[in-house]
Amino acid sequence: MDAVTLLTVVVLAVFVGFEVVSKVTSKLHTPLMSGANAIHGIILVGAIIVAGQADDPWLLAVALLAVALATVNLVGGFVVTDRMLEMFGPRKAASAHPADAAADGGGTPAGAAGAGEERP
């Protein structure tokens, strides 16, 4: 394929991808993001394969740049997905400070037990 055909395919893929992603409801963004992370993992494997077979220094530099960017994209995607999934989890207690728990009669704060005393 020539360069114009490849550029046309990339531009059409960008438009189709934008239209598809913009129509997804907000409830499906997390599963969609997880799927995108898996695709980025495949891109990372492809970039590593290209870097391993590169003979030209420019091709090797571009392949290593692709490996670095794919790694950042993959790790960042999983971090964002993890944060989004935490938003749907159960809420934690409002006060987890040991001094507050001791004042409420909930137990002994850490470090308050003297030498020789048993902690509950």
Side-chain angles (χ1 to χ4, degrees), residues 41-78:
I42 295 170
I43 291 170
L44 177 62
V45 170
I48 291 172
I49 290 172
V50 170
Q53 297 177 349
D55 294 330
D56 187 18
W58 279 103
L59 183 59
L60 180 62
V62 171
L64 291 178
L65 179 65
V67 168
L69 292 176
T71 302
V72 168
N73 200 9
L74 180 68
V75 172
F78 278 112

Side-chain angles (χ1 to χ4, degrees), residues 83-102:
R83 289 188 68 189
M84 288 175 70
L85 289 175
E86 283 180 6
M87 291 171 38
F88 297 107
R91 295 186 186 258
K92 295 178 182 172
S95 176
H97 195 271
D100 293 340

Side-chain angles (χ1 to χ4, degrees), residues 98-99 101-102 105-114 117-120:
T108 305
E117 290 183 2
E118 286 188 31
R119 292 185 177 182

